[in-house]
Amino acid sequence: MLAFAFRAQCADDYKSVLIFTNGDSIRVRLPLTDVTGKVRVKEISPDGFGIPVAPSKVSLGTNDYIEWQIGYDIPNTNSPSIVPQLKFQRNGETKYGHELSKIIFESVRLGILSTNDLIGEIQKLEKIPTNEFEESRPVQIETLTNAANGFQSAVERLPQFTKVTSHGSVQIQLKQKQRAVGYQAMVYVCLPMNQVLDANGNSRKSAPAKSKETVFYDFSRENADLILNIVDAFGIASQQHNEDIQHILQKILEMARP
Ligand code: ADE
Protein backbone atom coordinates (compact mmCIF):
# COMPACT_ATOMS: atom_id res chain seq x y z
CA MET A 1 0.00 0.00 0.00
CA LEU A 2 2.78 2.37 1.01
CA ALA A 3 4.79 1.42 -2.07
CA PHE A 4 1.73 2.07 -4.20
CA ALA A 5 1.15 5.48 -2.60
CA PHE A 6 4.82 6.33 -3.14
CA ARG A 7 4.67 5.29 -6.81
CA ALA A 8 1.43 7.24 -7.30
CA GLN A 9 3.11 10.34 -5.88
CA CYS A 10 6.19 9.87 -8.09
CA ALA A 11 4.03 9.28 -11.15
CA ASP A 12 2.43 12.68 -10.60
CA ASP A 13 5.64 14.40 -9.65
CA TYR A 14 6.00 16.38 -12.86
CA LYS A 15 2.88 18.31 -11.81
CA SER A 16 4.58 19.71 -8.69
CA VAL A 17 6.06 23.16 -8.98
CA LEU A 18 9.68 22.80 -7.87
CA ILE A 19 11.72 25.72 -6.55
CA PHE A 20 15.46 25.39 -6.07
CA THR A 21 18.55 27.55 -6.13
CA ASN A 22 20.80 27.48 -9.18
CA GLY A 23 24.00 29.49 -8.58
CA ASP A 24 22.94 33.11 -8.02
CA SER A 25 19.36 32.58 -9.10
CA ILE A 26 16.22 30.72 -8.08
CA ARG A 27 14.93 28.28 -10.64
CA VAL A 28 11.24 27.36 -10.78
CA ARG A 29 10.15 24.21 -12.58
CA LEU A 30 6.62 24.34 -13.98
CA PRO A 31 4.54 21.63 -15.70
CA LEU A 32 3.20 22.49 -19.17
CA THR A 33 0.50 19.85 -19.50
CA ASP A 34 -1.37 20.01 -16.20
CA VAL A 35 -4.35 21.82 -17.75
CA THR A 36 -6.65 21.42 -14.74
CA GLY A 37 -4.06 22.29 -12.12
CA LYS A 38 -2.48 25.45 -10.78
CA VAL A 39 -0.31 25.97 -13.86
CA ARG A 40 -1.99 26.52 -17.22
CA VAL A 41 -0.88 27.65 -20.64
CA LYS A 42 -2.92 30.48 -22.15
CA GLU A 43 -2.88 32.49 -25.34
CA ILE A 44 -2.63 36.27 -24.88
CA SER A 45 -6.01 37.95 -25.44
CA PRO A 46 -6.78 41.68 -25.70
CA ASP A 47 -8.98 41.61 -22.56
CA GLY A 48 -6.05 40.25 -20.53
CA PHE A 49 -7.96 37.18 -19.27
CA GLY A 50 -6.17 34.89 -21.75
CA ILE A 51 -7.59 31.91 -23.64
CA PRO A 52 -6.68 28.43 -22.33
CA VAL A 53 -4.92 26.34 -24.99
CA ALA A 54 -4.41 22.60 -25.37
CA PRO A 55 -0.63 22.69 -24.83
CA SER A 56 0.22 19.53 -26.76
CA LYS A 57 -1.94 20.48 -29.76
CA VAL A 58 -0.60 23.94 -30.68
CA SER A 59 2.89 25.37 -31.03
CA LEU A 60 3.59 27.35 -27.85
CA GLY A 61 5.48 30.56 -28.60
CA THR A 62 5.40 34.34 -28.30
CA ASN A 63 1.57 34.52 -28.18
CA ASP A 64 1.39 32.27 -25.15
CA TYR A 65 2.11 32.52 -21.44
CA ILE A 66 2.05 30.36 -18.36
CA GLU A 67 -0.54 31.31 -15.73
CA TRP A 68 0.61 30.13 -12.33
CA GLN A 69 -1.68 30.28 -9.31
CA ILE A 70 1.21 30.72 -6.92
CA GLY A 71 0.74 29.73 -3.28
CA TYR A 72 2.47 30.97 -0.15
CA ASP A 73 1.60 28.46 2.55
CA ILE A 74 0.55 24.83 2.94
CA PRO A 75 -0.79 22.88 5.95
CA ASN A 76 1.63 19.94 5.58
CA THR A 77 5.17 19.07 4.50
CA ASN A 78 4.14 17.00 1.45
CA SER A 79 5.55 19.44 -1.10
CA PRO A 80 9.22 19.78 -2.07
CA SER A 81 8.71 23.56 -2.35
CA ILE A 82 8.26 24.36 1.34
CA VAL A 83 10.53 26.15 3.80
CA PRO A 84 10.50 23.73 6.77
CA GLN A 85 11.92 26.38 9.13
CA LEU A 86 9.07 28.73 8.23
CA LYS A 87 6.40 27.09 10.40
CA PHE A 88 3.63 29.15 11.94
CA GLN A 89 0.07 29.06 13.27
CA ARG A 90 -2.76 30.66 11.32
CA ASN A 91 -6.34 30.59 12.62
CA GLY A 92 -5.41 27.63 14.84
CA GLU A 93 -3.82 25.65 11.99
CA THR A 94 -0.14 24.84 11.51
CA LYS A 95 1.24 26.17 8.21
CA TYR A 96 4.55 25.96 6.39
CA GLY A 97 5.90 28.57 4.00
CA HIS A 98 5.41 27.37 0.41
CA GLU A 99 6.28 28.55 -3.14
CA LEU A 100 6.28 32.39 -2.90
CA SER A 101 7.60 32.08 0.68
CA LYS A 102 10.42 29.83 -0.56
CA ILE A 103 11.24 32.26 -3.40
CA ILE A 104 11.46 35.16 -0.92
CA PHE A 105 13.40 33.13 1.65
CA GLU A 106 15.99 32.01 -0.92
CA SER A 107 16.09 35.52 -2.48
CA VAL A 108 17.20 37.00 0.84
CA ARG A 109 19.78 34.23 1.29
CA LEU A 110 21.19 34.85 -2.21
CA GLY A 111 21.03 38.66 -2.01
CA ILE A 112 18.40 38.96 -4.79
CA LEU A 113 16.27 40.80 -2.20
CA SER A 114 17.62 42.69 0.81
CA THR A 115 16.19 42.74 4.32
CA ASN A 116 15.40 46.42 3.58
CA ASP A 117 13.22 45.32 0.66
CA LEU A 118 11.23 43.16 3.09
CA ILE A 119 10.95 45.97 5.65
CA GLY A 120 9.74 48.31 2.87
CA GLU A 121 7.12 45.76 1.78
CA ILE A 122 5.84 45.23 5.34
CA GLN A 123 5.46 49.01 5.74
CA LYS A 124 3.64 49.23 2.41
CA LEU A 125 1.28 46.35 3.27
CA GLU A 126 0.52 47.79 6.73
CA LYS A 127 -0.65 51.05 5.18
CA ILE A 128 -3.30 49.62 2.85
CA PRO A 129 -6.72 50.77 4.11
CA THR A 130 -9.17 47.95 4.84
CA ASN A 131 -11.73 49.28 2.37
CA GLU A 132 -9.24 49.18 -0.50
CA PHE A 133 -8.80 45.43 -0.82
CA GLU A 134 -9.72 44.23 -4.28
CA GLU A 135 -11.79 41.42 -2.80
CA SER A 136 -14.26 43.93 -1.37
CA ARG A 137 -14.80 45.69 -4.69
CA PRO A 138 -18.44 45.41 -5.67
CA VAL A 139 -19.10 43.05 -8.54
CA GLN A 140 -21.58 44.82 -10.80
CA ILE A 141 -24.50 43.04 -12.38
CA GLU A 142 -26.41 44.95 -15.07
CA THR A 143 -29.86 43.61 -15.84
CA LEU A 144 -32.04 44.58 -18.77
CA THR A 145 -35.41 43.20 -19.82
CA ASN A 146 -36.11 42.85 -23.50
CA ALA A 147 -39.53 44.49 -23.98
CA ALA A 148 -40.31 42.40 -27.07
CA ASN A 149 -39.80 38.90 -25.65
CA GLY A 150 -39.67 39.42 -21.86
CA PHE A 151 -36.26 37.75 -21.45
CA GLN A 152 -34.02 39.41 -18.92
CA SER A 153 -30.33 39.68 -19.65
CA ALA A 154 -27.82 39.92 -16.83
CA VAL A 155 -24.21 40.92 -17.37
CA GLU A 156 -21.70 40.38 -14.59
CA ARG A 157 -18.65 42.63 -14.58
CA LEU A 158 -15.71 40.91 -12.92
CA PRO A 159 -12.76 43.20 -12.25
CA GLN A 160 -9.18 42.16 -12.97
CA PHE A 161 -6.00 43.99 -11.95
CA THR A 162 -2.74 43.49 -13.82
CA LYS A 163 0.78 44.73 -13.14
CA VAL A 164 2.96 44.33 -16.22
CA THR A 165 6.76 44.15 -16.11
CA SER A 166 9.21 43.25 -18.87
CA HIS A 167 9.77 39.81 -17.27
CA GLY A 168 6.15 38.84 -16.78
CA SER A 169 3.05 40.13 -15.07
CA VAL A 170 0.98 39.59 -11.96
CA GLN A 171 -2.82 39.49 -12.01
CA ILE A 172 -5.57 39.60 -9.45
CA GLN A 173 -8.87 38.18 -10.64
CA LEU A 174 -12.09 38.07 -8.68
CA LYS A 175 -13.65 34.61 -8.92
CA GLN A 176 -16.85 33.14 -7.46
CA LYS A 177 -16.00 31.21 -4.29
CA GLN A 178 -16.23 27.49 -4.97
CA ARG A 179 -17.95 26.38 -1.78
CA ALA A 180 -19.39 29.61 -0.43
CA VAL A 181 -21.27 32.74 -1.40
CA GLY A 182 -19.27 35.70 -2.64
CA TYR A 183 -16.05 36.36 -4.49
CA GLN A 184 -12.42 35.69 -3.75
CA ALA A 185 -9.36 37.44 -5.10
CA MET A 186 -7.05 35.03 -6.93
CA VAL A 187 -3.43 35.94 -7.64
CA TYR A 188 -1.72 34.66 -10.79
CA VAL A 189 1.84 35.02 -11.99
CA CYS A 190 1.93 35.21 -15.80
CA LEU A 191 5.23 34.16 -17.39
CA PRO A 192 5.73 34.76 -21.13
CA MET A 193 6.42 31.49 -22.96
CA ASN A 194 9.41 33.09 -24.73
CA GLN A 195 11.12 33.72 -21.37
CA VAL A 196 11.07 30.14 -20.09
CA LEU A 197 13.92 27.65 -20.40
CA ASP A 198 14.04 24.04 -21.48
CA ALA A 199 15.56 21.19 -19.45
CA ASN A 200 19.06 22.18 -20.67
CA GLY A 201 18.67 25.77 -19.47
CA ASN A 202 18.33 27.11 -23.04
CA SER A 203 15.52 29.35 -24.20
CA ARG A 204 12.61 27.03 -25.07
CA LYS A 205 11.96 26.88 -28.82
CA SER A 206 8.37 27.36 -30.05
CA ALA A 207 6.80 23.89 -30.17
CA PRO A 208 3.81 21.98 -28.82
CA ALA A 209 4.31 20.63 -25.29
CA LYS A 210 5.67 17.11 -25.08
CA SER A 211 3.94 14.65 -22.75
CA LYS A 212 4.72 15.65 -19.14
CA GLU A 213 7.08 18.42 -20.31
CA THR A 214 8.33 20.83 -17.65
CA VAL A 215 9.89 24.25 -18.23
CA PHE A 216 12.03 26.51 -16.07
CA TYR A 217 11.89 30.17 -15.05
CA ASP A 218 14.71 31.95 -13.22
CA PHE A 219 14.37 34.68 -10.61
CA SER A 220 17.53 36.76 -10.22
CA ARG A 221 18.57 40.34 -9.42
CA GLU A 222 17.38 41.35 -12.92
CA ASN A 223 13.74 40.48 -12.27
CA ALA A 224 13.56 40.87 -8.48
CA ASP A 225 10.89 43.55 -9.07
CA LEU A 226 8.52 40.80 -10.25
CA ILE A 227 8.87 39.08 -6.84
CA LEU A 228 7.98 42.33 -5.07
CA ASN A 229 5.03 42.82 -7.43
CA ILE A 230 3.69 39.37 -6.44
CA VAL A 231 3.99 40.40 -2.78
CA ASP A 232 2.15 43.68 -3.60
CA ALA A 233 -0.61 41.74 -5.37
CA PHE A 234 -1.32 39.57 -2.31
CA GLY A 235 -1.06 42.72 -0.19
CA ILE A 236 -3.92 44.44 -2.04
CA ALA A 237 -5.95 41.30 -2.85
CA SER A 238 -7.62 40.75 0.54
CA GLN A 239 -7.19 41.40 4.24
CA GLN A 240 -6.40 37.72 4.86
CA HIS A 241 -3.68 37.62 2.19
CA ASN A 242 -2.30 40.95 3.37
CA GLU A 243 -1.98 39.71 6.97
CA ASP A 244 -0.60 36.30 5.93
CA ILE A 245 2.10 37.85 3.74
CA GLN A 246 3.08 40.43 6.39
CA HIS A 247 3.46 37.57 8.87
CA ILE A 248 5.60 35.54 6.45
CA LEU A 249 7.85 38.51 5.60
CA GLN A 250 8.32 39.17 9.33
CA LYS A 251 9.30 35.54 9.92
CA ILE A 252 11.77 35.56 7.02
CA LEU A 253 13.28 38.79 8.39
CA GLU A 254 13.71 37.16 11.81
CA MET A 255 15.43 34.16 10.21
CA ALA A 256 17.74 36.44 8.23
CA ARG A 257 18.73 38.40 11.35
CA PRO A 258 18.55 35.97 14.27
N1 ADE B 1 -4.07 31.49 -1.50
C1 ADE B 1 -2.87 30.96 -1.71
N2 ADE B 1 -2.44 31.21 -2.95
C2 ADE B 1 -3.39 31.94 -3.56
C3 ADE B 1 -3.53 32.54 -4.84
N3 ADE B 1 -2.58 32.44 -5.77
N4 ADE B 1 -4.61 33.25 -5.10
C4 ADE B 1 -5.56 33.36 -4.14
N5 ADE B 1 -5.51 32.83 -2.94
C5 ADE B 1 -4.42 32.13 -2.64
Side-chain angles (χ1 to χ4, degrees):
M1 185 66 195
L2 254 181
F4 176 75
F6 182 70
R7 249 202 327 258
Q9 203 182 350
C10 287
D12 267 346
D13 188 49
Y14 83 99
K15 288 187 180 179
S16 305
V17 173
L18 297 188
I19 295 160
F20 50 96
T21 55
N22 179 45
D24 287 343
S25 52
I26 297 160
R27 186 157 280 190
V28 182
R29 194 195 78 177
L30 300 147
L32 273 192
T33 56
D34 183 19
V35 289
T36 57
K38 302 220 164 178
V39 181
R40 293 174 187 210
V41 183
K42 288 189 159 183
E43 187 184 318
I44 297 167
S45 64
D47 63 10
F49 285 96
I51 303 158
V53 300
S56 56
K57 303 243 158 58
V58 295
S59 181
L60 307 175
T62 46
N63 286 335
D64 305 289
Y65 66 97
I66 295 174
E67 181 195 76
W68 175 24
Q69 188 191 317
I70 190 171
Y72 57 78
D73 66 14
I74 187 171
N76 52 54
T77 54
N78 298 347
S79 163
S81 302
I82 64 157
V83 186
Q85 310 94 304
L86 185 45
K87 183 179 174 190
F88 53 94
Q89 293 287 124
R90 192 79 186 117
N91 301 331
E93 243 193 299
T94 301
K95 301 269 192 177
Y96 294 87
H98 187 227
E99 294 186 338
L100 177 62
S101 300
K102 182 159 184 183
I103 294 172
I104 300 170
F105 176 79
E106 296 295 359
S107 294
V108 174
R109 239 168 37 88
L110 293 175
I112 295 172
L113 293 177
S114 66
T115 49
N116 271 344
D117 287 326
L118 301 201
I119 294 167
E121 281 298 322
I122 293 171
Q123 286 168 347
K124 201 167 11 165
L125 265 52
E126 273 171 351
K127 285 204 196 97
I128 298 168
T130 330
N131 58 350
E132 280 190 16
F133 292 118
E134 307 305 4
E135 198 166 82
S136 46
R137 291 237 194 180
V139 172
Q140 297 168 12
I141 300 183
E142 291 166 12
T143 56
L144 192 74
T145 303
N146 182 320
N149 62 20
F151 276 81
Q152 188 194 59
S153 68
V155 178
E156 201 180 50
R157 289 154 60 93
L158 279 179
Q160 169 187 257
F161 314 89
T162 308
K163 178 78 174 251
V164 180
T165 79
S166 55
H167 337 281
S169 56
V170 186
Q171 277 189 335
I172 306 168
Q173 289 179 10
L174 288 196
K175 296 247 159 118
Q176 295 245 1
K177 282 189 182 159
Q178 292 192 330
R179 275 179 286 273
V181 180
Y183 294 85
Q184 66 188 128
M186 303 302 300
V187 175
Y188 299 98
V189 179
C190 302
L191 303 171
M193 206 59 210
N194 59 0
Q195 296 201 22
V196 300
L197 309 172
D198 63 18
N200 299 319
N202 301 318
S203 183
R204 183 187 183 275
K205 308 264 173 332
S206 292
K210 296 192 199 80
S211 168
K212 299 191 177 180
E213 179 177 347
T214 54
V215 291
F216 300 82
Y217 182 86
D218 285 349
F219 284 102
S220 65
R221 278 172 198 254
E222 279 76 61
N223 56 2
D225 58 329
L226 182 56
I227 307 174
L228 297 179
N229 285 323
I230 305 169
V231 172
D232 288 346
F234 278 112
I236 61 168
S238 72
Q239 175 128 33
Q240 179 79 42
H241 289 137
N242 178 299
E243 289 173 8
D244 287 348
I245 296 290
Q246 278 196 52
H247 188 73
I248 287 167
L249 294 178
Q250 202 70 55
K251 279 257 171 194
I252 295 175
L253 260 184
E254 285 164 20
M255 286 192 278
R257 298 192 307 202

